[in-house]
Amino acid sequence: MIDQITAVIVDDEITNIKGLQKKIKKLFPSIQVIGTYQKPEQAISAIKELQPQLVFLDIQMPRINGFELLEALELINFQVIFVTAFSEYAIKAFKQNAIDYILKPIDDSDLKSAVHKALEAIESQNSVEQNTKLLQLISTMVTDNNKLIVPTAKGLSFIPQDEVLHIEGYEGYTKIHLEDSTTLLSSYNLGKFAKMVSSDFFKCHKSHIVNLNKVRHFENEGYLVLENKERVPISRANKKAFLELFN
């Protein structure tokens, strides 16, 4: 659950800003309004600087309307709730990826519904970002310790890279073949593992990465034979690069 989120209100009429602020404070004490702006130009600069998680945005404003304001921002990394007196903008608002659209005068139930949608979206995004950062951190730790991180259906496996025979792309998934004859199936694609393995590994084929320390034979017809007698294909394009490793 989110403890507190930051929000900005953009509306050219101060009475609308004060009315919305009052409702937010009453209905959603966890939302901190960190800025209110009547001039769209000021709002653009402030949003870039303050990085709010939620923006309540009027549509009809002098010089720059709400849609143009969003277009002026390089990155939309916040949720948008359009607040306007004109219902004909609804379709365009949703095309701008707004989380919701509420009409003035603001009804409490409409505001609650829109904000709850925004909170769920923010919480979901936070969860994705946290998981991504955690995975990146674990990946760095594992790489430093010469281990391979393998996400599987049961969780995360941390495999010493010298126990890996070869890595195989398989129908959008990846098979990790180990020297004890076991295999791990991961939802990661082969490209992700190619970035994680050490220089001891060589991509010999579009669907195969081999541990060079486990290769026992090179067959001219286009195969590498591993220490467990398994034959892994090597493409014509990669033969020369492979042989040059041993010059």
Side-chain angles (χ1 to χ4, degrees):
M1 183 68 68
I2 303 173
D3 293 328
Q4 189 173 67
I5 70 166
T6 55
V8 161
I9 301 173
V10 185
D11 195 307
D12 63 308
E13 295 185 21
I14 189 63
T15 53
N16 291 334
I17 290 176
K18 289 182 176 180
L20 181 53
Q21 268 189 297
K22 186 176 180 180
K23 285 180 178 292
I24 291 171
K25 186 176 181 179
K26 175 185 175 183
L27 299 173
F28 297 96
S30 65
I31 296 179
Q32 179 187 7
V33 178
I34 57 175
T36 62
Y37 304 93
Q38 291 178 258
K39 295 181 179 179
E41 298 90 345
Q42 292 179 345
I44 292 169
S45 298
I47 290 170
K48 290 179 180 179
E49 180 182 351
L50 298 175
Q51 296 288 300
Q53 295 163 288
L54 175 60
V55 172
F56 295 90
L57 182 58
D58 190 14
I59 293 180
Q60 277 205 338
M61 295 182 290
R63 298 177 302 282
I64 300 175
N65 65 38
F67 301 125
E68 292 168 338
L69 184 150
L70 292 180
E71 290 171 1
L73 295 167
E74 294 88 1
L75 179 65
I76 309 296
N77 57 351
F78 51 84
Q79 298 301 319
V80 179
I81 296 176
F82 279 111
V83 184
T84 182
F86 302 94
S87 60
E88 63 265 28
Y89 291 120
I91 294 175
K92 188 172 181 180
F94 287 116
K95 286 184 177 179
Q96 289 273 5
N97 295 320
I99 194 71
D100 212 340
Y101 174 100
I102 53 181
L103 291 172
K104 301 173 183 176
I106 298 172
D107 180 78
D108 284 0
S109 61
D110 290 341
L111 180 61
K112 286 180 181 179
S113 175
V115 171
H116 280 306
K117 289 180 185 177
L119 293 177
E120 287 177 4
I122 292 168
E123 189 164 14
S124 175
Q125 181 62 32
N126 286 349
S127 177
V128 169
E129 290 175 355
Q130 288 171 3
N131 288 340
T132 299
K133 288 178 181 178
L134 177 60
L135 201 54
Q136 289 172 342
L137 177 61
I138 292 174
S139 181
T140 300
M141 293 170 59
V142 170
T143 300
D144 290 344
N145 289 284
N146 201 33
K147 288 189 177 181
L148 192 66
I149 179 172
V150 184
T152 68
K154 294 182 178 180
L156 297 175
S157 294
F158 304 97
I159 309 298
Q161 293 197 23
D162 59 7
E163 293 181 8
V164 177
L165 290 172
H166 74 107
I167 305 171
E168 176 189 3
Y170 176 76
E171 296 182 355
Y173 293 84
T174 301
K175 287 183 177 180
I176 312 296
H177 298 265
L178 304 178
E179 61 183 4
D180 64 0
S181 299
T182 60
T183 302
L184 296 175
L185 183 65
S186 175
S187 59
Y188 266 24
N189 61 38
L190 192 66
K192 284 186 180 277
F193 285 107
K195 296 176 182 178
M196 294 168 60
V197 293
S198 72
S199 58
D200 290 333
F201 287 78
F202 176 76
K203 189 170 184 180
C204 59
H205 185 275
K206 66 179 181 179
S207 300
H208 294 275
I209 299 171
V210 296
N211 185 340
L212 293 171
N213 296 323
K214 308 298 181 181
V215 177
R216 293 297 175 262
H217 301 284
F218 166 75
E219 296 182 347
N220 289 328
E221 61 265 35
Y223 288 93
L224 300 177
V225 182
L226 306 182
E227 62 182 22
N228 66 343
K229 307 293 178 65
E230 187 174 357
R231 298 166 80 229
V232 177
I234 179 169
S235 66
R236 287 186 178 183
N238 291 323
K239 277 185 182 181
K240 182 178 179 181
F242 174 79
L243 293 173
E244 286 178 349
L245 292 172
F246 301 95
N247 284 344

